């Protein structure tokens, strides 16, 4: 097999981050349309992430936020987004670089992106074993549990983060697992 000198893996990761950037930019300008809302998972220790020490202590590796009913002052640039959210009735301002984003999920249309942190530009590019994934039925059950808890409680971002942060995003199965067979 030939060596990939073009680095399609990196191009794909950049394209997925571009989708997140574009969607967040539109939401900043026009607000959330219809029933759309997002679960965004990011690495809390990534360069450029700005969150309170309280949140960093609670989520030392990664955190999932919910952009739905209670957010404010969403600002999006080419490199990051900033957003106001409430965690346990405490307002917080978060700044999240797109390079820190590892997952993006819109449950209203079952759209999901998983961004592999091992493939970002500038990362160590040596060969690594693929991340083990859950069997499709287990992954779907886990995802349904997260959605059900978040939607049934009309969860605040902190509650949803606790639910979604229980396991790393590496346990998520690709979109093909959730597509209906024709």
């Amino acid at each position: 097999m030939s060596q990939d000198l073009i680095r399609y893996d990196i191009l794909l990761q950049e394209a997925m981050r571009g989708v997140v950037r574009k969607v967040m930019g539109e939401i900043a300008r026009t607000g959330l349309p219809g029933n759309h809302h997002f679960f965004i998972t990011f690495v809390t220790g990534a360069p450029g992430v700005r969150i309170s020490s309280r949140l960093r202590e609670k989520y030392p590796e990664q955190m999932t936020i919910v952009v739905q009913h209670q957010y404010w002052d969403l600002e999006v640039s080419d490199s990051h987004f900033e957003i106001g959210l409430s965690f346990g009735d405490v307002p917080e301002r978060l700044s999240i670089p797109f390079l820190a984003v590892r997952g993006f999920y819109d449950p209203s249309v079952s759209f999901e992106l998983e961004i592999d942190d091992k493939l970002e530009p500038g990362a160590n590019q040596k060969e690594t074993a693929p991340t083990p994934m859950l069997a499709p039925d287990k992954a779907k059950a886990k995802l349904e549990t997260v959605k059900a808890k978040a939607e049934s409680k009309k969860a605040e971002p902190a509650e949803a983060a606790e639910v979604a942060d229980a396991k790393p995003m590496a346990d998520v199965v690709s979109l093909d697992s959730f597509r209906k067979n024709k």
Side-chain angles (χ1 to χ4, degrees), residues 109-136:
V109 292
S110 295
F111 178 79
E112 181 174 7
L113 294 174
E114 181 181 353
I115 303 172
D116 185 351
D117 62 343
K118 294 179 197 131
L119 299 177
E120 70 187 34
N124 186 352
Q125 297 297 336
K126 60 184 172 181
E127 293 297 317
T128 58
T131 304
M133 294 190 170
L134 292 176

Side-chain angles (χ1 to χ4, degrees), residues 43-49 97 99-100 120:
V43 176
T44 56
V49 170
L99 285 174
E120 70 187 34

Side-chain angles (χ1 to χ4, degrees), residues 3-35:
Q3 183 181 5
D4 177 7
L5 300 176
I6 295 176
R7 294 307 310 256
Y8 289 108
D9 53 350
I10 292 173
L11 293 173
L12 181 59
Q13 301 306 313
E14 290 173 359
M16 287 192 285
R17 285 190 175 95
V19 169
V20 176
R21 182 181 305 108
K22 174 82 170 157
V23 168
M24 295 303 286
E26 288 296 317
I27 300 314
R29 283 188 291 284
T30 63
L32 285 165
N35 292 324

Side-chain angles (χ1 to χ4, degrees), residues 111 140 174-182:
F111 178 79
K140 188 172 183 179
S174 73
L175 283 172
D176 293 336
S177 301
F178 299 100
R179 289 196 176 116
K180 294 180 181 175
N181 293 332
K182 290 184 178 181

